[in-house]
Amino acid sequence: MTTTNPLSYLSEQIEAWRQVGSYQHLRVLESPCEPMSRFDGREVINLASNNYLGLADHPKLIEAQVEAAKKYGAGSGAVRTISGTMSIHMELERRIAAFKHTEACVVFQSGFAANAGTVSAILGPDDHIISDALNHASIIDGCRLSRAKIHVFPHKDTAKAAAILNELEGKPGHKLLITDGVFSMDGDIGPLPALVEIAERHGAIMMIDDAHSSGVLGSNGRGTVDHFGLHGKVDVQVGTLSKAIGVLGGYVCGSRDLIEFLYHRARPFLFSTSHPPAVAAACLAAFDILEREPERIEKLWENTRHFKSALKNAGFDTGESETPITPIMVGEAKTAHAYSKALFENGLLATGIGFPTVPEGKARIRTIVTATHTREMLDRAGEILTSVAKKMGILR
Ligand SMILES: *Cc1c(COP(=O)(O)O)cnc(C)c1O
């Protein structure tokens, strides 16, 4: 009897990825996430984290985690709706709602769960979603799970978004206009004022995913809604606790009833265990730092300006970026991965990103500077990027 492996098609696919150079080896971090980190036994400048403010290993966050673990234990014991809602979870939600100037907030296990859980909970098959082409995967999955009709508009094309809503005028169903605040692969900012106006005109729900703007844009890092002065005009604001906040989690801010509804219907809230208390405690400590040390955010932007101008002067194509996320466009995925590998061998971690994370032919190296990089580190990173690019024929 011959036995065949029913999963052999996976091995074939993996082999095909190796052939085209898009096979990804996981880099293993052997130190805390810092501006200089050790990956795979090598000390490198880390331009690949979302640890914008250096909070991921901040002593105050670590101290808060240890204390919370001692006081409340290692885990919460259940999902939020059964018995896993701890006082510290409620405290964090109140804290975030106040910080964002909204009525209420619900915290999810991750930003991914927040987006996917919210969109799928508030919409159904009779509804319509108008979504930017470059929105995050968690939004796309939430849209699919909702079974609403999905209308994708070209990236930042507000005229097209308005045209779609015009066509839907008078048709039944709720309409949701949804965008990333900052786009994670290009580092550009969504056209919020125009989108908010369009949503208002058509009675659509306005939802923004501020994953890369939480802790980065707006006063004390309140995000794009604050950055554009749109308080009270965005119905659903999503943020993450996993990036600039330095820990793990996602949240939704909005009206009291939106949050009550999500408490009753968002599936990750109902069916997946809540954060360990240490996570909530560390997030609370991070919000203290956001409010007390705005100079961290100023340093982040100072570093961003410095690094971007160095890359431009070197002749790199950095796309449309307006934030600390700066892509270096190289075209083919194979080139991006080979470039990233060579950079690593020269002391710099910057991730190569290709299809399906970005469109074909738009592969890139993605860099993210943080507040804790020194000038010397950034200048050295610029030198490594330039010399390797010249050797590989990416820069002439
Ligand atoms: C990272 C990211 C998320 C997911 O956040 P996690 O907390 O890491 O799950 C959602 N949306 C966008 C735009 C992101 O960049």
Side-chain angles (χ1 to χ4, degrees):
M1 196 179 90
T2 55
T3 54
T4 53
N5 174 4
L7 287 178
S8 62
Y9 65 104
L10 302 184
S11 315
E12 283 157 25
Q13 181 63 72
I14 291 166
E15 187 48 37
W17 290 333
R18 283 189 206 279
Q19 295 296 325
V20 300
S22 67
Y23 178 83
Q24 285 272 47
H25 157 84
L26 291 177
R27 292 264 178 234
V28 179
L29 176 59
E30 296 155 347
S31 69
C33 174
E34 288 180 335
M36 293 288 303
S37 303
R38 193 175 62 251
F39 288 90
D40 298 333
R42 192 189 286 265
E43 202 69 32
V44 292
I45 302 168
N46 183 359
L47 287 187
S49 87
N50 301 312
N51 185 19
Y52 289 105
L53 303 174
L55 299 184
D57 71 335
H58 193 289
K60 289 222 166 95
L61 274 70
I62 297 168
E63 196 182 294
Q65 284 181 329
V66 171
E67 268 175 32
K70 284 187 179 150
K71 194 166 167 192
Y72 298 108
S76 72
V79 303
R80 290 284 302 270
T81 48
I82 305 290
S83 67
T85 294
M86 302 178 97
S87 52
I88 199 159
H89 294 137
M90 298 310 292
E91 187 185 343
L92 179 60
E93 290 182 344
R94 284 192 299 272
R95 180 68 183 271
I96 298 172
F99 181 74
K100 300 282 275 190
H101 306 311
T102 57
E103 270 179 31
C105 168
V106 52
V107 170
F108 286 88
Q109 298 85 352
S110 68
F112 197 107
N115 272 328
T118 299
V119 176
S120 59
I122 65 175
L123 296 177
D126 299 330
D127 302 326
H128 296 272
I129 299 169
I130 300 92
S131 176
D132 187 287
L134 295 191
N135 276 346
H136 191 260
S138 54
I139 293 178
I140 296 170
D141 286 11
C143 294
R144 290 177 182 160
L145 285 168
S146 76
R147 291 177 290 144
K149 288 166 205 76
I150 303 165
H151 311 263
V152 175
F153 61 88
H155 183 46
K156 297 213 284 194
D157 188 341
T158 56
K160 184 67 198 195
I164 295 167
L165 275 162
N166 262 332
E167 255 173 56
L168 293 172
E169 197 66 51
K171 293 208 177 124
H174 306 290
K175 285 127 200 168
L176 172 76
L177 182 52
I178 185 163
T179 183
D180 281 9
V182 167
F183 289 86
S184 53
M185 293 299 144
D186 294 82
D188 53 340
I189 302 174
L192 264 52
L195 290 176
V196 162
E197 198 267 322
I198 291 163
E200 222 165 48
R201 184 149 33 94
H202 291 277
I205 306 158
M206 184 73 222
M207 176 164 170
I208 289 168
D209 173 9
D210 254 345
H212 279 284
S213 3
S214 317
V216 174
L217 279 168
S219 67
N220 302 81
R222 284 181 172 80
T224 52
V225 171
D226 186 89
H227 173 74
F228 286 113
L230 296 170
H231 288 292
K233 291 179 179 281
V234 174
D235 304 291
V236 188
Q237 286 187 58
V238 171
T240 184
L241 304 166
S242 325
K243 289 175 176 146
I245 304 302
V247 195
L248 172 71
Y251 57 85
V252 178
C253 286
S255 68
R256 169 56 55 197
D257 282 353
L258 168 69
I259 304 313
E260 286 290 342
F261 187 91
L262 295 174
Y263 278 178
H264 286 82
R265 284 292 178 274
R267 291 168 72 83
F269 189 87
L270 271 71
F271 295 106
S272 184
T273 297
S274 55
H275 279 153
V279 169
C283 292
L284 281 163
F287 282 98
D288 283 344
I289 294 171
L290 282 188
E291 287 183 353
R292 285 186 203 149
E293 301 176 26
E295 58 273 17
R296 275 179 186 267
I297 301 174
E298 280 159 34
K299 189 76 207 305
L300 169 67
W301 282 95
E302 200 183 299
N303 280 348
T304 298
R305 286 188 291 272
H306 178 75
F307 190 63
K308 272 191 196 317
S309 78
L311 292 183
K312 287 228 171 82
N313 291 339
F316 285 111
D317 172 5
T318 56
E320 305 297 315
S321 170
E322 308 166 77
T323 66
I325 302 170
T326 308
I328 297 175
M329 311 305 285
V330 300
E332 294 311 312
K334 199 168 185 155
T335 314
H337 294 308
Y339 186 24
S340 173
K341 187 160 177 279
L343 291 170
F344 186 75
E345 281 153 13
N346 283 274
L348 173 66
L349 181 68
T351 322
I353 294 174
F355 183 79
T357 311
V358 294
E360 301 242 35
K362 294 224 166 159
R364 64 202 64 186
I365 292 287
R366 179 185 184 236
T367 66
I368 299 186
V369 305
T370 72
T372 46
H373 284 96
T374 63
R375 268 295 153 90
E376 293 69 34
M377 288 175 201
L378 294 177
D379 291 343
R380 179 76 194 119
E383 284 161 22
I384 297 169
L385 282 159
T386 307
S387 66
V388 175
K390 283 188 174 153
K391 243 177 252 162
M392 292 182 64
I394 292 166
L395 266 189
R396 270 169 295 273

